């Protein structure tokens, strides 16, 4: 509703929306973005009309899945940072972002192809994640666990590059773990 304050969803509507996002995330991640919305509705146990009331287009559903993934990453980062010592927090957050970002590029390409400004749509969530990562990096550097010459731009670039590498190694968990070891070794002070 433009200009008016949106009413909160009824409990059943909120459950349906959450279930649709859960199913869409799972289906899109495991089977690709070509799965029809009708199949997502059926798998979620709701009618296609219910899906379209929450997400008027497939692109709106994809965007909601992306925003939710970023919110999940942010919550994970906050949780790790609050409970782990600075060195463990940094490396745990690095691992979380890389692992939770698998498939993100496919979502981004699909949304961009239909004219969605992905950077604008995800700006708020992305900024919150970058802020949390910057804080975790600074804490790890103060603790002497991460090289002092690494800045937030380089950290983001390493996260993106490591994520792309991990997608290439999706079927080889041992190789993925070796990549983490190599990257983490390079992030530690000499």
């Amino acid at each position: 509703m433009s200009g008016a304050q949106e009413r909160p969803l009824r409990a059943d509507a909120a459950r349906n929306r959450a279930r649709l996002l859960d199913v869409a995330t799972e289906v899109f991640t495991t089977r690709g973005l070509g799965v029809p919305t009708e199949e997502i509705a059926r798998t979620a146990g709701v009618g296609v009309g219910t899906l379209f009331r929450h997400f008027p287009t497939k692109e709106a559903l994809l965007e909601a899945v992306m925003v939710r993934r970023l919110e999940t990453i942010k919550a994970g980062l906050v949780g790790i940072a609050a409970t782990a010592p600075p060195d463990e927090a940094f490396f745990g957050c690095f691992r979380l972002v890389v692992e939770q970002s698998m498939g993100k590029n496919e979502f981004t390409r699909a949304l961009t192809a239909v004219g969605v400004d992905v950077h604008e749509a995800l700006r708020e969530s992305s900024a919150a994640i970058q802020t949390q990562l910057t804080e975790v990096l600074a804490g790890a550097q103060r603790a002497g666990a991460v090289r002092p010459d690494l800045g937030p731009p380089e950290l983001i670039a390493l996260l993106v590059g490591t994520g792309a590498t991990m997608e290439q190694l999706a079927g080889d968990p041992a190789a993925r773990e070796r990549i983490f070891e190599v990257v983490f070794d390079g992030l530690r002070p000499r």
Side-chain angles (χ1 to χ4, degrees):
M1 292 185 210
S2 149
Q5 192 170 9
E6 290 187 33
R7 293 185 321 211
L9 292 176
R10 293 185 334 251
D12 62 331
R15 279 191 304 276
N16 285 341
R17 185 178 196 286
R19 176 78 178 130
L20 284 163
L21 283 173
D22 288 342
V23 168
T25 299
E26 176 65 25
V27 168
F28 289 149
T29 302
T30 59
R31 296 181 39 210
L33 303 180
V35 176
T37 51
E38 293 79 8
E39 188 171 332
I40 291 169
R42 186 173 45 256
T43 304
V46 301
V48 72
T50 298
L51 184 145
F52 285 124
R53 269 192 298 283
H54 291 284
F55 309 103
T57 64
K58 187 172 185 178
E59 292 76 26
L61 178 59
L62 287 169
E63 185 177 329
V65 166
M66 283 289 294
V67 168
R68 188 177 200 214
R69 287 178 77 175
L70 291 178
E71 289 170 354
T72 300
I73 290 171
K74 180 183 175 245
L77 295 176
V78 169
I80 291 170
T83 60
D87 58 336
E88 291 176 26
F90 175 79
F91 292 109
C93 287
F94 192 103
R95 182 181 293 273
L96 175 94
V97 169
V98 169
E99 290 174 345
Q100 294 293 315
S101 296
M102 297 284 284
K104 179 182 172 223
N105 291 336
E106 187 178 357
F107 280 88
T108 301
R109 282 190 298 274
L111 289 169
T112 301
V114 295
V116 173
D117 183 348
V118 176
H119 294 293
E120 181 58 30
L122 305 177
R123 183 178 46 82
E124 189 176 321
S125 299
S126 295
I129 289 171
Q130 287 184 14
T131 298
Q132 188 64 44
L133 288 169
T134 298
E135 291 172 11
V136 171
L137 171 62
Q141 288 172 323
R142 280 191 301 275
V146 173
R147 47 189 305 155
D149 58 341
L150 180 72
E154 295 88 8
L155 175 58
I156 299 302
L158 283 168
L159 287 163
V160 171
T162 305
T165 300
M166 294 303 187
E167 287 194 22
Q168 295 297 313
L169 300 171
D172 189 346
R176 292 178 67 205
E177 195 54 41
R178 284 191 302 277
I179 294 297
F180 276 126
E181 289 172 14
V182 168
V183 172
F184 290 173
D185 188 49
L187 291 168
R188 290 187 177 93
R190 291 197 163 87

